[in-house]
Amino acid sequence: MNNLLVMPILIPLCTAVILMFLKEKVLLQRWISVFSGILNLVLACVLVTRIHKEGIQTLQMGGWTPPYGIVFVGDMFAALLVLTASAVSLGILLYSFTSIGAERERFYYYTFFHFLLVGVYGSFLTGDIFNLFVFFEVMLISSYALISLGGTKLQLRETSKYLLINIVSSTLFVAAVAYLYAAVGTLNMAHLSQRIHEAGQGGVLNVIAVLFLIVFALKAGLFLFFWLPGSYSAPPAAIRALFGALLTKVGLYAIIRTFTLIFAEDPDFTNGWIASMAAATMILGALGAVAYNDIPRILNYNVIVSVGFVAFGLSAGTPDALDGAVFYLMHDMLGKALMFVLGGLMIAAAGTDRLERMGGLIRRYPLLGWSFFALALALAGIPPFSGFPGKVLIIRGGLDAGMLTLSLIGLGSSLLVLYSLIKVFRLAFWGNMPDTEPPKVNLKSGTAVAVGLLVLVILMGLGAERVNTYVSQAGEVLGSPRLYIEAVLKE
């Protein structure tokens, strides 16, 4: 048993509760939040190191032996995502200080920020599918508050849509869990895998698998992403960065965990569905990214493309593809956080989010401009940035699995991603200056955060071989569910 597993959940939980009583003391809220973020980052590093040396870690709450009690499980996949989420959330937190606004800070912004992290970390570390639902709801309820915080007309309109979609998906989630429990009599993920293996996946279990896929696809934006471009355009840039970097990734994590561990007995059926949805997501997301001329929607559609790309890696199912999905998921959390931070800084500098009204920003904000150019190369998968190793592994895995069409779609979507971001770079930074030049604003703090995230993206790419040591350990567990089952059930 390892009590360290629950600390990434307890720290933001305790932080959120403390901040509830400090409503008017904004500066103190900031200091406490930063301390909490740094502490979680350090603990995540310790957790990754321990799992690398000692293998999968488990914690049985209350001493109840699995599958009867609540269990937390830390394999390398979950630990790497906790580590990446800790780094990303700390960067977004620092960016919030100069971008979110004093009114939102006084109305419990940091409280909801940390409650959302409780849901994110809990989703990664739980070993029980009902508790996955619980942590999803903690995360979503916090996101409801964050997306509506400020009360603008756009926010209220998009919050209604966002709320409705997630209530529907949560209802389906509860129904899916109930049907699954009725079919196999357990909710522990490792035990579910064992029971489904014994029963043989087919018939009603395949129907339940599709229901789970619909639920998680709605939350991740996999094909069922119709709600995402509008909803993610409504809140301020810091909240968009938090959502784009973490919320869709929790949905992807749930899909990967569910279909490599629980419903892993009929991959031809489940992976076929996932592959079709991945192809449609990459195509539609890439077309959306090149079709629009406002920065929020261009960036939002780029989130959708990456969701499809990770799902492609899962559907291929080869060792290279699974390693690539893990690597690319980590890269994408960093890259999307950086993308939305830079997008927010550009909008603040230009005073508009419309590309045709921007221009000439490179003269006044050269570091911002070249950081965005580097980001475009990273998200397109150009070496030496972190997007390259993950994409290479996924494409190679797809070719090994005989998925030539999906591999070509993946490459084509990467080119369109590059085109969409270079279009933004060209028009916003090198285009004609507007007739009325907006006053220069101080973006030093936000740019420093962006540069810090960019450094992580570069280091992850340059140190890909070292990172892959940990990634391959995560991919090994995804490809061999027996390792997870034995660690949890102690067989």
Side-chain angles (χ1 to χ4, degrees):
M1 294 178 65
N2 186 353
N3 291 322
L4 181 63
L5 283 176
V6 80
M7 294 307 293
I9 302 168
L10 285 179
I11 290 171
L13 177 61
C14 293
T15 303
V17 172
I18 291 170
L19 295 181
M20 290 174 65
F21 299 97
L22 302 173
K23 178 176 181 290
E24 299 298 329
K25 299 179 180 179
V26 172
L27 187 60
L28 184 56
Q29 288 189 60
R30 292 180 178 181
W31 280 106
I32 293 173
S33 296
V34 170
F35 176 77
S36 173
I38 293 173
L39 184 57
N40 241 18
L41 182 60
V42 172
L43 286 172
C45 292
V46 173
L47 183 60
V48 168
T49 302
R50 180 170 295 183
I51 293 172
H52 183 60
K53 293 179 179 178
E54 302 175 8
I56 298 174
Q57 304 289 302
T58 62
L59 173 63
Q60 293 85 40
M61 300 299 290
W64 286 85
T65 304
Y68 304 106
I70 295 173
V71 62
F72 289 93
V73 184
D75 65 345
M76 186 56 75
F77 181 36
L80 287 175
L81 295 188
V82 169
L83 175 60
T84 311
S86 299
V88 163
S89 61
L90 181 58
I92 295 171
L93 179 68
L94 295 173
Y95 173 58
S96 299
F97 295 165
T98 56
S99 67
I100 201 65
E103 283 301 309
R104 289 185 175 89
E105 287 183 297
R106 281 197 293 269
F107 279 89
Y108 305 103
Y109 169 74
Y110 298 113
T111 297
F112 291 122
F113 185 100
H114 289 285
F115 273 130
L116 185 140
L117 294 181
V118 171
V120 170
Y121 296 140
S123 298
F124 291 152
L125 293 170
T126 185
D128 181 286
I129 199 161
F130 181 76
N131 284 320
L132 178 62
F133 166 76
V134 172
F135 284 117
F136 256 109
E137 290 308 298
V138 172
M139 178 183 70
L140 289 173
I141 290 170
S142 303
S143 72
Y144 300 155
L146 288 172
I147 197 174
S148 62
L149 198 61
T152 66
K153 185 177 179 180
L154 175 62
Q155 283 181 283
L156 295 177
R157 186 188 72 208
E158 293 300 334
T159 298
S160 301
K161 180 171 64 176
Y162 180 77
L163 190 64
L164 178 61
I165 293 300
N166 279 291
I167 287 174
V168 170
S169 67
S170 295
T171 303
L172 292 175
F173 198 168
V174 173
V177 170
Y179 285 132
L180 185 59
Y181 183 76
V184 296
T186 185
L187 294 174
N188 180 282
M189 291 182 183
H191 201 214
L192 280 168
S193 180
Q194 190 179 62
R195 287 281 182 89
I196 291 175
H197 175 73
E198 292 169 354
Q201 185 180 329
V204 69
L205 287 176
N206 271 339
V207 174
I208 296 171
V210 171
L211 187 56
F212 272 105
L213 180 58
I214 292 172
V215 169
F216 296 141
L218 272 169
K219 296 182 183 297
L222 178 62
F223 184 58
L224 305 173
F225 59 79
F226 53 90
W227 56 271
L228 191 151
S231 296
Y232 279 22
S233 298
I239 298 174
R240 290 200 297 267
L242 192 66
F243 286 8
L246 298 183
L247 293 197
T248 55
K249 307 310 177 288
V250 174
L252 277 172
Y253 168 82
I255 292 173
I256 294 172
R257 181 67 77 194
T258 300
F259 291 97
T260 58
L261 177 64
I262 300 173
F263 298 106
E265 298 300 317
D266 192 1
D268 291 339
F269 175 78
T270 54
N271 288 359
W273 277 85
I274 294 171
S276 299
M277 296 172 77
T281 303
M282 287 189 285
I283 293 170
L284 296 175
L287 292 177
V290 301
Y292 285 93
N293 282 313
D294 61 293
I295 287 180
R297 286 189 181 269
I298 292 173
L299 304 189
N300 291 341
Y301 275 101
N302 273 287
V303 171
I304 292 166
V305 175
S306 63
V307 169
F309 205 86
V310 174
F312 165 36
L314 171 62
S315 67
T318 64
D320 278 343
L322 292 175
D323 288 355
V326 176
F327 200 115
Y328 193 80
L329 193 54
M330 294 170 60
H331 146 78
D332 201 54
M333 292 168 75
L334 289 169
K336 291 304 183 288
L338 173 60
M339 181 180 74
F340 282 107
V341 168
L342 289 173
L345 293 171
M346 291 166 60
I347 292 170
T352 178
D353 62 7
R354 302 292 303 181
L355 284 177
E356 64 269 21
R357 299 174 190 168
M358 294 183 175
L361 291 180
I362 196 70
R363 182 174 61 83
R364 293 184 296 161
Y365 308 96
L367 183 57
L368 177 62
W370 294 116
S371 295
F372 190 88
F373 180 74
L375 167 73
L377 299 182
L379 294 184
I382 306 298
F385 299 100
S386 58
F388 177 70
K391 285 200 172 186
V392 167
L393 287 170
I394 290 175
I395 294 295
R396 189 166 69 186
L399 292 174
D400 289 343
M403 305 173 78
L404 177 61
T405 301
L406 259 177
S407 299
L408 292 175
I409 290 173
L411 291 172
S413 68
S414 297
L415 292 175
L416 290 177
V417 163
L418 181 61
Y419 171 78
S420 70
L421 295 176
I422 291 298
K423 179 179 75 171
V424 172
F425 176 70
R426 179 175 59 84
L427 294 178
F429 290 97
W430 296 98
N432 295 325
M433 292 183 60
D435 295 334
T436 304
E437 184 177 355
K440 187 170 182 178
V441 294
N442 186 358
L443 302 179
K444 290 181 180 179
S445 298
T447 304
V449 171
V451 170
L453 290 171
L454 180 60
V455 168
L456 291 179
V457 169
I458 295 172
L459 290 178
M460 189 176 170
L462 294 175
E465 187 173 354
R466 177 62 175 165
V467 175
N468 197 54
T469 303
Y470 297 88
V471 167
S472 60
Q473 188 175 345
E476 182 184 9
V477 176
L478 295 178
S480 303
R482 174 184 54 82
L483 299 174
Y484 187 100
I485 296 168
E486 290 176 354
V488 175
L489 302 181
K490 310 299 183 190
E491 296 182 341

